[in-house]
Amino acid sequence: MFEKEKQQIVNMSLRLYNEKLIVGTWGNLSMRLKDKNGEELYLVTPSGMEYEDTKIEDLVILNEQGDIVEGHRNPTSELKMHIKIYKSINNINAIIHTHSTYATACAVAGVTIPMMVEDMIQHIGGDVRVAKYALPGTDELASYAVEALKERNGALLKNHGVIGIGKSMVDAYKSCILIEKSAKILIYAKILGHVHLLSTEDAEKMIEYYNNKYGQK
Ligand SMILES: [Zn+2]
């Protein structure tokens, strides 16, 4: 079941891999689904598999309790974080976790990516916070990630990487790529000199415009 969604995850994994947002077997992706009875399900990538070798049959479907409903692989080691985010944030249906270089540099330095540029502010909904540090795969990491994601579509995980969320897989991808791009801009701007920030007032106008008027509405 859910062949289309599985293919979407496989395609997105390869895209992230080719664009070097993920390397090796690290990072993970998931989608929130509903079965025919309206029960919530989670479609997730398997643990520790090379993205180039991952096929749709390697993906795992779990129920709300975290029990495997379909699939023969072990689910991602960050399963707790994915499930906690879905349970805490109702209006999103896709999560991507990467270890992309520039964003992780900010996460290692403990630097919030501030409101500097239009695209990130509009899509993320404000600055990109750094979640408190916790070991990968733990309940603590899941809670800290949710805390940092409050009213945002993305966050940094201290000394670890990026979490991008969205209504769709493409939206979650945009969160990850905009965080990586903004982290790069922040680092370059710091090298060049002062980082000029946008005012909260202008940022709010940009978010308002993006949510209500931007694109083919
Ligand atoms: Zn990770």
Side-chain angles (χ1 to χ4, degrees):
M1 54 182 175
F2 299 112
E3 301 295 299
K4 199 179 101 217
E5 288 81 2
K6 286 178 182 167
Q7 195 59 54
Q8 241 185 306
I9 289 198
V10 168
N11 294 348
M12 186 55 81
S13 303
L14 284 175
R15 183 173 183 181
L16 294 163
Y17 181 77
N18 290 330
E19 293 179 6
K20 297 190 170 50
L21 288 173
I22 50 177
V23 293
T25 60
W26 287 274
N28 31 72
L29 295 81
S30 72
M31 285 174 88
R32 188 204 314 255
L33 308 168
K34 287 261 164 66
D35 71 8
K36 50 182 185 308
N37 303 320
E39 295 295 322
E40 201 159 301
L41 297 171
Y42 309 115
L43 173 65
V44 307
T45 44
S47 177
M49 277 191 73
E50 298 290 342
Y51 288 102
E52 282 175 306
D53 301 331
T54 305
K55 310 264 182 301
I56 60 167
E57 53 269 26
D58 295 312
L59 302 183
V60 185
I61 299 179
L62 304 108
N63 61 18
E64 273 200 272
Q65 289 72 44
D67 305 319
I68 296 177
V69 173
E70 191 193 286
H72 60 286
R73 301 283 185 191
N74 287 330
T76 167
S77 54
E78 293 294 2
L79 182 66
K80 283 179 182 168
M81 181 169 72
H82 286 255
I83 293 184
K84 177 108 182 163
I85 293 169
Y86 287 124
K87 289 193 172 173
S88 311
I89 306 171
N90 293 329
N91 61 347
I92 63 117
N93 300 305
I95 301 173
I96 300 177
H97 166 52
T98 76
H99 293 175
S100 64
T101 313
Y102 290 95
T104 307
C106 291
V108 167
V111 172
T112 296
I113 305 175
M115 296 196 288
M116 310 170 294
V117 286
E118 177 199 29
D119 48 9
M120 188 204 87
I121 294 171
Q122 289 177 328
H123 188 77
I124 299 296
D127 57 358
V128 181
R129 307 183 188 105
V130 186
K132 279 186 266 180
Y133 178 77
L135 274 174
T138 58
D139 289 321
E140 288 76 26
L141 181 66
S143 299
Y144 297 155
V146 166
E147 206 175 280
L149 283 167
K150 192 166 188 280
E151 293 171 4
R152 299 286 187 276
N153 280 323
L156 299 174
L157 304 176
K158 188 92 190 288
N159 285 74
H160 185 163
V162 178
I163 192 91
I165 62 176
K167 289 187 171 57
S168 64
M169 206 20 85
V170 172
D171 269 353
Y173 166 78
K174 279 186 201 165
S175 300
C176 291
I177 198 93
L178 286 170
I179 289 174
E180 178 65 358
K181 173 179 163 283
S182 305
K184 196 170 177 179
I185 290 168
L186 176 64
I187 293 165
Y188 284 153
K190 281 190 182 224
I191 293 169
L192 291 171
H194 185 66
V195 177
H196 294 271
L197 302 183
L198 292 169
S199 68
T200 311
E201 197 190 0
D202 278 356
E204 277 167 8
K205 281 183 194 156
M206 285 176 188
I207 294 167
E208 220 277 311
Y209 175 78
Y210 184 69
N211 290 339
N212 300 309
K213 299 195 187 83
Y214 182 74
Q216 308 300 315
K217 292 204 164 69

